Amino acid sequence: MAGTPNKDLSGHTLLILADADLPEGYEDHLHKKYPGLQVLHKRFNPWKAASADTPVALDVDWATVTVLLTGPVLPTIEEAPKLQLVQLQSAGANYVLEKPVFKDTKIPFCTANGVAGPPIAEWVICTYLAHQHQIPRYLDNMKDGKWERFYGDMKTLDAVTQRVGILGYGSIGRQVARIATAMGMEVYAHTNRPKPTPESRRDHSYHPPGLGDPDGTLPTRWFSGTTTAEQNEFLSSGLDLLVVAVPLTPETKGMLGAAQFELLAARKTFISNIGRGPTIVTDDLITALNKGWIRGAALDVTDPEPLPGDHPLWKMENVIVTPHVSGQTTSYYERLLAILDINLEKLSEGRAEFMNQVSRKRGY
């Protein structure tokens, strides 16, 4: 339900919990645009606090907070009775779904979806190309001072005309599609709901200006559906690279297992997971790698996470593992605050819908 417009946000208090300084001039920018808005910034790492063995004290008067930028640290409903809007620092929202302040209220929660699209897309493409061009092997040889060429190197398959299937065609997937298309690859997209019309293929979440595929024009084929048969149709479409970019929900947990990996065997698909580790059944992935059903994998997320030091994935020659860092960029905070700016404007206009708003029905 729409609210009453409040152009200068009089009576509102914005609390920013972030382990970074505000950009120079940002607070002045807010005060100039919204003279009635009180801005509080606490230099605080909500991720570290949420994983601490003992509760981390936070000196905050939650009773006055109406807008909150945070990560996993959230107040109770009783602590923050005036809370009207929550801007999360992450693209995923799985860690708030069971919090009473989310599930038992109608307070809009918004994600940072799109903020990390550029660096994650670069990670997907660079790890795939590293595998295709055997860069890990040459880096090992470099450490040993070994100049070694193989006749097999002439069989390197470059990206032109290869097919990338993007499972979860959101802002990250759309930036992958933009780069892949520029390299001459063909793009197939899969979404959970059908998108048969040009309008339905548009994406209204955040995209850095000039990037991604907000109009949904890059894929040459679209697939959709949440049933096993519908997902298997997509996986059977002759993919060279499968990018797993779905959020973690009860429906996506374990969605890629042995049966799905066997479908990828015809093309020996390379798998890139930048979504969440539990979408893949790890033991089945190892089996698929050992049996040669897939040519390799790049994993920025794993299950379990962190990946134990003695886990077999560390030792596999055709696997690249990084510790959930693909989204890191010096531009992250700047883009996050750009989304916050958009949502503050919507709040001042009394709008009922916000950018990157989490659906309580879908969980993302």
Side-chain angles (χ1 to χ4, degrees), residues 254-332:
M255 70 185 300
L256 296 175
Q260 287 69 42
F261 295 136
E262 283 194 78
L263 295 175
L264 301 174
R267 201 74 165 240
K268 294 189 182 300
T269 306
F270 186 88
I271 295 177
S272 179
N273 190 7
I274 46 80
R276 289 294 183 267
T279 58
I280 289 178
V281 181
T282 301
D283 288 346
D284 291 353
L285 173 65
I286 292 171
T287 297
L289 288 161
N290 286 331
K291 290 189 173 183
W293 293 345
I294 57 178
R295 69 183 83 165
L299 308 171
D300 188 50
V301 290
T302 59
D303 184 27
E305 186 175 312
L307 196 65
D310 60 352
H311 199 280
L313 282 173
W314 289 117
K315 304 295 184 182
M316 305 191 81
E317 292 185 359
N318 52 349
V319 174
I320 297 173
V321 177
T322 57
H324 207 148
V325 295
S326 65
Q328 293 189 1
T329 168
T330 56
S331 298
Y332 195 100

Coordinates of all heavy atoms in Angstrom, one line a residue, residues 254-332:
G254 N 19.9 -28.2 -3.7 CA 20.2 -29.5 -4.3 C 19.6 -29.7 -5.7 O 19.4 -30.9 -6.1
M255 N 19.3 -28.7 -6.4 CA 18.7 -28.8 -7.7 C 19.6 -29.4 -8.8 O 19.1 -29.9 -9.8 CB 18.2 -27.4 -8.2 CG 19.2 -26.4 -8.6 SD 18.5 -24.8 -9.0 CE 17.4 -25.2 -10.4
L256 N 20.9 -29.4 -8.6 CA 21.8 -30.0 -9.5 C 22.5 -31.1 -8.8 O 23.4 -31.0 -8.0 CB 22.9 -28.9 -10.0 CG 22.3 -27.8 -10.8 CD1 23.4 -26.7 -11.1 CD2 21.6 -28.2 -12.1
G257 N 22.1 -32.3 -9.3 CA 22.7 -33.6 -8.7 C 23.1 -34.5 -9.8 O 23.3 -34.1 -11.0
A258 N 23.3 -35.8 -9.5 CA 23.8 -36.7 -10.5 C 23.0 -36.8 -11.8 O 23.6 -36.8 -12.9 CB 23.9 -38.1 -9.8
A259 N 21.7 -36.8 -11.6 CA 20.9 -36.9 -12.8 C 21.1 -35.8 -13.8 O 21.1 -35.9 -15.0 CB 19.4 -37.1 -12.4
Q260 N 21.2 -34.6 -13.2 CA 21.4 -33.4 -14.0 C 22.8 -33.4 -14.6 O 23.0 -33.0 -15.8 CB 21.2 -32.1 -13.2 CG 19.8 -31.8 -12.8 CD 19.2 -32.8 -11.8 OE1 19.9 -33.2 -10.9 NE2 18.0 -33.3 -12.1
F261 N 23.8 -33.8 -13.9 CA 25.2 -33.8 -14.4 C 25.3 -34.8 -15.6 O 26.0 -34.6 -16.6 CB 26.2 -34.2 -13.4 CG 26.3 -33.1 -12.3 CD1 26.3 -33.5 -10.9 CD2 26.3 -31.8 -12.6 CE1 26.4 -32.5 -9.9 CE2 26.4 -30.8 -11.6 CZ 26.4 -31.2 -10.3
E262 N 24.5 -35.9 -15.5 CA 24.6 -36.9 -16.6 C 24.0 -36.2 -17.9 O 24.4 -36.6 -19.0 CB 23.8 -38.1 -16.3 CG 24.5 -39.1 -15.3 CD 23.9 -40.4 -15.3 OE1 24.1 -41.2 -16.2 OE2 23.2 -40.7 -14.3
L263 N 23.0 -35.3 -17.8 CA 22.5 -34.7 -18.9 C 23.5 -33.8 -19.6 O 23.4 -33.5 -20.8 CB 21.3 -33.8 -18.5 CG 20.0 -34.6 -18.0 CD1 19.0 -33.6 -17.5 CD2 19.5 -35.5 -19.1
L264 N 24.5 -33.3 -18.8 CA 25.5 -32.4 -19.3 C 26.6 -33.2 -20.0 O 27.5 -32.5 -20.6 CB 26.1 -31.5 -18.2 CG 25.0 -30.6 -17.5 CD1 25.7 -29.9 -16.3 CD2 24.4 -29.6 -18.4
A265 N 26.6 -34.5 -19.9 CA 27.8 -35.3 -20.4 C 27.9 -35.2 -21.9 O 29.1 -35.3 -22.4 CB 27.6 -36.7 -19.9
A266 N 26.8 -35.0 -22.6 CA 26.9 -35.0 -24.1 C 27.9 -33.9 -24.6 O 28.6 -34.1 -25.6 CB 25.5 -34.8 -24.7
R267 N 27.9 -32.8 -23.9 CA 28.7 -31.7 -24.3 C 29.9 -31.4 -23.3 O 30.7 -30.5 -23.5 CB 27.8 -30.4 -24.4 CG 28.4 -29.3 -25.2 CD 28.2 -29.5 -26.7 NE 28.4 -28.2 -27.4 CZ 27.5 -27.7 -28.2 NH1 26.3 -28.3 -28.4 NH2 27.7 -26.5 -28.8
K268 N 29.9 -32.3 -22.3 CA 30.9 -32.1 -21.2 C 31.0 -30.6 -20.7 O 32.0 -30.0 -20.8 CB 32.3 -32.6 -21.7 CG 32.4 -34.1 -22.0 CD 33.8 -34.5 -22.2 CE 33.9 -36.0 -22.5 NZ 33.4 -36.8 -21.4
T269 N 29.8 -30.2 -20.3 CA 29.6 -28.8 -19.9 C 30.6 -28.4 -18.8 O 30.8 -29.2 -17.9 CB 28.2 -28.6 -19.5 OG1 27.3 -29.1 -20.5 CG2 27.9 -27.2 -19.1
F270 N 31.1 -27.2 -18.8 CA 31.8 -26.6 -17.7 C 30.8 -25.9 -16.8 O 29.9 -25.2 -17.3 CB 32.9 -25.6 -18.3 CG 33.8 -25.1 -17.2 CD1 35.0 -25.7 -16.9 CD2 33.5 -23.9 -16.5 CE1 35.8 -25.2 -15.9 CE2 34.3 -23.4 -15.6 CZ 35.5 -24.0 -15.3
I271 N 30.9 -26.1 -15.5 CA 30.0 -25.5 -14.5 C 30.6 -24.4 -13.8 O 31.7 -24.5 -13.2 CB 29.5 -26.6 -13.6 CG1 28.6 -27.6 -14.3 CG2 28.6 -26.0 -12.5 CD1 28.1 -28.8 -13.5
S272 N 29.9 -23.3 -13.7 CA 30.4 -22.1 -12.9 C 29.3 -21.8 -11.9 O 28.2 -21.4 -12.3 CB 30.6 -20.9 -13.9 OG 31.1 -19.8 -13.1
N273 N 29.6 -21.9 -10.6 CA 28.6 -21.6 -9.6 C 29.0 -20.3 -8.8 O 30.0 -20.3 -8.1 CB 28.5 -22.8 -8.6 CG 27.3 -22.6 -7.7 OD1 26.5 -21.6 -7.8 ND2 27.2 -23.4 -6.7
I274 N 28.2 -19.3 -9.0 CA 28.4 -18.0 -8.3 C 27.2 -17.7 -7.5 O 27.1 -16.5 -7.1 CB 28.8 -16.9 -9.3 CG1 27.9 -16.9 -10.5 CG2 30.3 -17.1 -9.7 CD1 26.6 -16.2 -10.4
G275 N 26.3 -18.6 -7.4 CA 25.0 -18.4 -6.6 C 25.2 -18.7 -5.2 O 25.7 -17.9 -4.4
R276 N 24.9 -19.9 -4.8 CA 25.0 -20.4 -3.5 C 25.5 -21.9 -3.5 O 24.9 -22.7 -4.4 CB 23.8 -20.3 -2.6 CG 23.4 -18.8 -2.3 CD 24.5 -18.2 -1.3 NE 24.1 -16.9 -0.9 CZ 24.6 -15.8 -1.5 NH1 25.3 -15.9 -2.6 NH2 24.2 -14.6 -1.0
G277 N 26.4 -22.3 -2.7 CA 26.9 -23.7 -2.7 C 25.9 -24.8 -2.7 O 26.0 -25.7 -3.4
P278 N 24.9 -24.7 -1.8 CA 23.9 -25.8 -1.6 C 23.0 -26.1 -2.8 O 22.3 -27.0 -2.8 CB 23.1 -25.4 -0.4 CG 24.0 -24.6 0.4 CD 24.8 -23.8 -0.6
T279 N 23.1 -25.2 -3.9 CA 22.3 -25.5 -5.1 C 22.8 -26.8 -5.8 O 22.1 -27.4 -6.5 CB 22.2 -24.3 -6.0 OG1 23.6 -24.0 -6.4 CG2 21.6 -23.2 -5.4
I280 N 24.1 -27.1 -5.5 CA 24.8 -28.2 -6.1 C 25.0 -29.3 -5.0 O 25.5 -29.0 -3.9 CB 26.1 -27.8 -6.7 CG1 25.8 -27.0 -8.0 CG2 27.0 -29.0 -7.1 CD1 27.1 -26.5 -8.7
V281 N 24.7 -30.5 -5.4 CA 25.0 -31.6 -4.5 C 26.5 -31.9 -4.7 O 26.9 -32.5 -5.7 CB 24.2 -32.9 -4.8 CG1 24.5 -34.0 -3.9 CG2 22.7 -32.6 -4.7
T282 N 27.3 -31.6 -3.7 CA 28.8 -31.6 -3.8 C 29.3 -33.0 -4.2 O 30.2 -33.1 -5.0 CB 29.5 -31.1 -2.6 OG1 29.0 -29.7 -2.3 CG2 31.0 -31.0 -2.7
D283 N 28.9 -34.0 -3.5 CA 29.3 -35.4 -3.8 C 29.0 -35.8 -5.2 O 29.9 -36.5 -5.8 CB 28.7 -36.4 -2.8 CG 29.3 -36.2 -1.4 OD1 30.3 -35.6 -1.2 OD2 28.7 -36.8 -0.4
D284 N 27.9 -35.4 -5.7 CA 27.5 -35.7 -7.1 C 28.4 -34.9 -8.1 O 28.7 -35.4 -9.2 CB 26.0 -35.4 -7.3 CG 25.1 -36.4 -6.6 OD1 25.6 -37.4 -6.0 OD2 23.9 -36.2 -6.6
L285 N 28.7 -33.7 -7.7 CA 29.6 -32.9 -8.6 C 31.0 -33.6 -8.7 O 31.6 -33.7 -9.8 CB 29.8 -31.5 -8.0 CG 30.9 -30.6 -8.7 CD1 30.4 -30.3 -10.1 CD2 31.1 -29.3 -7.9
I286 N 31.5 -34.1 -7.5 CA 32.8 -34.8 -7.6 C 32.7 -36.0 -8.4 O 33.6 -36.3 -9.2 CB 33.2 -35.1 -6.1 CG1 33.6 -33.8 -5.4 CG2 34.4 -36.1 -6.1 CD1 33.8 -34.0 -3.9
T287 N 31.6 -36.8 -8.3 CA 31.4 -38.0 -9.2 C 31.4 -37.6 -10.6 O 32.1 -38.2 -11.5 CB 30.1 -38.7 -8.8 OG1 30.2 -39.1 -7.4 CG2 29.8 -39.8 -9.7
A288 N 30.7 -36.5 -11.0 CA 30.6 -36.1 -12.4 C 32.0 -35.7 -12.9 O 32.3 -35.9 -14.1 CB 29.6 -34.9 -12.5
L289 N 32.8 -35.0 -12.1 CA 34.1 -34.6 -12.5 C 35.0 -35.9 -12.7 O 35.8 -36.0 -13.7 CB 34.8 -33.7 -11.4 CG 34.2 -32.3 -11.4 CD1 34.5 -31.6 -10.0 CD2 34.7 -31.5 -12.5
N290 N 34.9 -36.8 -11.8 CA 35.7 -38.0 -11.8 C 35.4 -38.9 -13.0 O 36.2 -39.6 -13.6 CB 35.6 -38.8 -10.5 CG 36.4 -38.2 -9.4 OD1 37.4 -37.5 -9.6 ND2 35.9 -38.4 -8.2
K291 N 34.1 -38.9 -13.3 CA 33.6 -39.8 -14.5 C 33.7 -39.1 -15.8 O 33.4 -39.7 -16.8 CB 32.2 -40.2 -14.2 CG 32.0 -41.2 -13.1 CD 30.6 -41.8 -13.0 CE 30.5 -42.9 -12.0 NZ 29.2 -43.6 -12.0
G292 N 34.1 -37.8 -15.8 CA 34.3 -37.1 -17.0 C 33.0 -36.6 -17.7 O 32.9 -36.3 -18.9
W293 N 31.9 -36.6 -16.9 CA 30.6 -36.1 -17.4 C 30.7 -34.6 -17.7 O 30.0 -34.1 -18.7 CB 29.5 -36.3 -16.4 CG 29.1 -37.8 -16.1 CD1 29.5 -38.8 -16.9 CD2 28.4 -38.3 -15.0 NE1 29.0 -40.0 -16.3 CE2 28.3 -39.7 -15.2 CE3 27.8 -37.7 -13.9 CZ2 27.7 -40.5 -14.3 CZ3 27.1 -38.5 -13.0 CH2 27.0 -39.9 -13.2
I294 N 31.5 -33.9 -16.9 CA 31.7 -32.5 -17.2 C 33.1 -32.2 -17.3 O 34.0 -32.9 -16.7 CB 31.0 -31.6 -16.0 CG1 31.6 -32.0 -14.7 CG2 29.5 -31.7 -16.0 CD1 31.1 -31.1 -13.5
R295 N 33.5 -31.2 -18.0 CA 34.9 -30.9 -18.3 C 35.7 -30.2 -17.2 O 36.9 -30.3 -17.1 CB 35.1 -30.1 -19.6 CG 34.6 -28.7 -19.5 CD 34.7 -27.9 -20.8 NE 33.6 -28.2 -21.7 CZ 33.3 -27.5 -22.8 NH1 34.1 -26.4 -23.1 NH2 32.3 -27.8 -23.5
G296 N 34.9 -29.6 -16.3 CA 35.5 -28.9 -15.2 C 34.5 -28.0 -14.5 O 33.3 -28.0 -14.8
A297 N 35.0 -27.3 -13.4 CA 34.1 -26.5 -12.7 C 34.8 -25.3 -12.0 O 36.0 -25.5 -11.7 CB 33.3 -27.3 -11.6
A298 N 34.2 -24.2 -11.9 CA 34.7 -23.0 -11.2 C 33.7 -22.7 -10.1 O 32.5 -22.5 -10.4 CB 34.9 -21.8 -12.2
L299 N 34.2 -22.7 -8.9 CA 33.3 -22.6 -7.8 C 33.7 -21.4 -6.9 O 34.8 -21.4 -6.3 CB 33.3 -23.9 -6.9 CG 33.1 -25.2 -7.7 CD1 33.3 -26.4 -6.8 CD2 31.6 -25.2 -8.2
D300 N 32.9 -20.4 -6.8 CA 33.2 -19.3 -5.8 C 32.4 -19.5 -4.6 O 32.6 -18.9 -3.6 CB 32.8 -17.9 -6.5 CG 33.2 -16.8 -5.6 OD1 34.4 -16.8 -5.2 OD2 32.4 -15.9 -5.3
V301 N 31.4 -20.5 -4.6 CA 30.6 -20.8 -3.5 C 30.6 -22.4 -3.4 O 30.7 -23.0 -4.4 CB 29.2 -20.3 -3.6 CG1 29.1 -18.8 -3.4 CG2 28.5 -20.7 -4.9
T302 N 30.6 -22.9 -2.2 CA 30.7 -24.3 -2.0 C 29.7 -24.8 -0.9 O 29.2 -24.0 -0.2 CB 32.1 -24.7 -1.6 OG1 32.5 -24.1 -0.4 CG2 33.1 -24.4 -2.7
D303 N 29.6 -26.1 -0.9 CA 28.8 -26.7 0.2 C 29.6 -27.9 0.7 O 29.7 -28.9 -0.1 CB 27.4 -27.1 -0.2 CG 26.6 -27.7 0.9 OD1 26.8 -27.3 2.1 OD2 25.7 -28.5 0.6
P304 N 30.3 -27.9 1.9 CA 30.2 -26.8 2.9 C 31.0 -25.6 2.5 O 31.8 -25.6 1.6 CB 30.7 -27.5 4.1 CG 31.7 -28.5 3.6 CD 31.1 -29.0 2.3
E305 N 30.7 -24.5 3.3 CA 31.4 -23.3 3.1 C 31.7 -22.7 4.5 O 30.7 -22.5 5.2 CB 30.6 -22.3 2.2 CG 31.4 -21.0 1.9 CD 30.6 -20.1 0.9 OE1 30.1 -20.6 -0.1 OE2 30.6 -18.9 1.2
P306 N 32.9 -22.4 4.8 CA 34.1 -22.6 4.1 C 34.4 -24.1 3.7 O 34.0 -25.0 4.5 CB 35.2 -22.0 5.0 CG 34.5 -21.2 6.0 CD 33.2 -21.9 6.2
L307 N 35.1 -24.3 2.7 CA 35.5 -25.6 2.2 C 36.7 -26.1 3.1 O 37.7 -25.4 3.2 CB 35.9 -25.6 0.8 CG 36.0 -26.9 0.1 CD1 34.6 -27.5 0.0 CD2 36.5 -26.7 -1.3
P308 N 36.5 -27.2 3.8 CA 37.6 -27.7 4.7 C 38.9 -28.0 3.9 O 38.9 -28.3 2.7 CB 37.0 -29.1 5.2 CG 35.5 -28.9 5.1 CD 35.3 -28.1 3.8
G309 N 40.0 -27.8 4.6 CA 41.3 -27.9 3.9 C 41.6 -29.3 3.3 O 42.4 -29.4 2.4
D310 N 41.0 -30.3 3.8 CA 41.2 -31.7 3.3 C 40.1 -32.1 2.3 O 40.1 -33.3 2.0 CB 41.3 -32.7 4.4 CG 40.0 -32.7 5.3 OD1 39.1 -31.9 5.1 OD2 39.9 -33.6 6.2
H311 N 39.3 -31.2 1.8 CA 38.2 -31.6 0.9 C 38.8 -31.9 -0.4 O 39.7 -31.3 -0.9 CB 37.2 -30.4 0.8 CG 35.9 -30.8 0.2 ND1 35.7 -31.0 -1.1 CD2 34.7 -31.1 0.9 CE1 34.4 -31.4 -1.3 NE2 33.8 -31.4 -0.1
P312 N 38.3 -33.0 -1.1 CA 38.8 -33.4 -2.4 C 38.7 -32.4 -3.5 O 39.5 -32.4 -4.4 CB 38.0 -34.6 -2.7 CG 36.8 -34.6 -1.8 CD 37.2 -33.9 -0.6
L313 N 37.8 -31.4 -3.4 CA 37.7 -30.4 -4.5 C 39.0 -29.6 -4.6 O 39.4 -29.2 -5.7 CB 36.5 -29.5 -4.2 CG 35.2 -30.0 -4.6 CD1 34.1 -29.0 -4.1 CD2 35.0 -30.3 -6.1
W314 N 39.7 -29.4 -3.5 CA 41.0 -28.6 -3.6 C 42.0 -29.3 -4.5 O 42.9 -28.6 -5.1 CB 41.6 -28.5 -2.2 CG 40.8 -27.6 -1.3 CD1 40.2 -27.9 -0.1 CD2 40.6 -26.1 -1.4 NE1 39.7 -26.8 0.5 CE2 39.9 -25.7 -0.2 CE3 41.0 -25.2 -2.3 CZ2 39.5 -24.4 0.0 CZ3 40.6 -23.9 -2.2 CH2 39.9 -23.5 -1.0
K315 N 42.0 -30.6 -4.6 CA 43.0 -31.3 -5.3 C 42.7 -31.7 -6.7 O 43.5 -32.2 -7.4 CB 43.3 -32.6 -4.5 CG 43.7 -32.5 -3.1 CD 45.0 -31.7 -2.9 CE 45.4 -31.6 -1.4 NZ 46.7 -30.9 -1.3
M316 N 41.5 -31.3 -7.2 CA 41.1 -31.7 -8.5 C 41.7 -30.7 -9.6 O 41.5 -29.5 -9.5 CB 39.6 -31.8 -8.6 CG 39.0 -32.7 -7.6 SD 37.2 -33.1 -7.8 CE 37.3 -34.4 -9.0
E317 N 42.3 -31.3 -10.6 CA 43.0 -30.5 -11.6 C 42.1 -29.6 -12.4 O 42.5 -28.5 -12.9 CB 43.9 -31.3 -12.5 CG 45.1 -32.0 -11.7 CD 46.0 -32.8 -12.7 OE1 45.6 -32.8 -13.9 OE2 47.0 -33.3 -12.2
N318 N 40.9 -30.1 -12.6 CA 40.0 -29.3 -13.5 C 39.0 -28.5 -12.7 O 37.9 -28.2 -13.2 CB 39.2 -30.3 -14.4 CG 38.6 -31.5 -13.7 OD1 38.8 -31.7 -12.5 ND2 37.7 -32.2 -14.4
V319 N 39.3 -28.1 -11.5 CA 38.5 -27.3 -10.7 C 39.2 -26.0 -10.2 O 40.4 -26.1 -9.8 CB 38.0 -28.1 -9.4 CG1 37.2 -27.2 -8.5 CG2 37.1 -29.3 -9.9
I320 N 38.5 -24.9 -10.3 CA 39.0 -23.7 -9.7 C 38.1 -23.3 -8.6 O 36.9 -23.2 -8.7 CB 39.0 -22.6 -10.8 CG1 40.0 -22.9 -11.9 CG2 39.4 -21.2 -10.1 CD1 39.9 -21.9 -13.1
V321 N 38.7 -23.1 -7.4 CA 37.9 -22.7 -6.2 C 38.4 -21.4 -5.6 O 39.6 -21.2 -5.5 CB 38.0 -23.8 -5.1 CG1 37.2 -23.3 -3.8 CG2 37.4 -25.1 -5.6
T322 N 37.5 -20.5 -5.4 CA 37.8 -19.2 -4.7 C 36.9 -19.0 -3.5 O 35.8 -19.5 -3.6 CB 37.8 -18.0 -5.7 OG1 36.4 -17.9 -6.2 CG2 38.7 -18.1 -6.8
P323 N 37.3 -18.3 -2.5 CA 36.6 -18.3 -1.2 C 35.5 -17.2 -1.2 O 35.5 -16.3 -0.4 CB 37.6 -18.0 -0.2 CG 38.6 -17.2 -0.9 CD 38.7 -17.7 -2.3
H324 N 34.5 -17.4 -2.1 CA 33.3 -16.5 -2.1 C 33.8 -15.0 -2.2 O 33.4 -14.1 -1.4 CB 32.5 -16.7 -0.9 CG 31.0 -16.3 -1.1 ND1 30.0 -17.0 -0.4 CD2 30.4 -15.4 -1.9 CE1 28.8 -16.5 -0.8 NE2 29.1 -15.5 -1.7
V325 N 34.6 -14.7 -3.3 CA 35.1 -13.4 -3.4 C 34.8 -12.8 -4.8 O 35.2 -11.7 -5.1 CB 36.7 -13.4 -3.3 CG1 37.0 -13.8 -1.8 CG2 37.3 -14.4 -4.3
S326 N 34.0 -13.5 -5.6 CA 33.8 -13.0 -7.0 C 33.1 -11.7 -7.1 O 33.3 -10.9 -8.1 CB 33.0 -14.0 -7.8 OG 31.7 -14.2 -7.3
G327 N 32.4 -11.3 -6.1 CA 31.6 -10.0 -6.1 C 32.4 -8.9 -5.5 O 31.9 -7.7 -5.5
Q328 N 33.6 -9.1 -5.1 CA 34.3 -8.0 -4.4 C 34.8 -7.0 -5.5 O 35.4 -7.3 -6.5 CB 35.5 -8.5 -3.6 CG 35.1 -9.4 -2.4 CD 36.2 -9.7 -1.5 OE1 37.4 -9.4 -1.8 NE2 35.9 -10.5 -0.5
T329 N 34.6 -5.7 -5.2 CA 35.0 -4.6 -6.1 C 35.1 -3.3 -5.3 O 34.3 -3.2 -4.3 CB 34.0 -4.5 -7.2 OG1 34.3 -3.2 -7.9 CG2 32.6 -4.4 -6.7
T330 N 36.0 -2.5 -5.7 CA 36.0 -1.2 -5.0 C 34.8 -0.3 -5.3 O 34.6 0.7 -4.6 CB 37.3 -0.4 -5.5 OG1 37.3 -0.3 -6.9 CG2 38.6 -1.1 -5.1
S331 N 34.0 -0.7 -6.2 CA 32.8 0.0 -6.6 C 31.5 -0.5 -5.8 O 30.4 0.1 -6.1 CB 32.5 0.0 -8.1 OG 33.6 0.6 -8.8
Y332 N 31.7 -1.5 -5.0 CA 30.5 -2.1 -4.4 C 29.7 -1.1 -3.6 O 28.5 -1.0 -3.7 CB 31.0 -3.3 -3.5 CG 29.9 -4.2 -3.1 CD1 29.7 -5.4 -3.8 CD2 29.0 -3.9 -2.1 CE1 28.6 -6.3 -3.4 CE2 27.9 -4.8 -1.7 CZ 27.8 -5.9 -2.4 OH 26.7 -6.8 -2.1

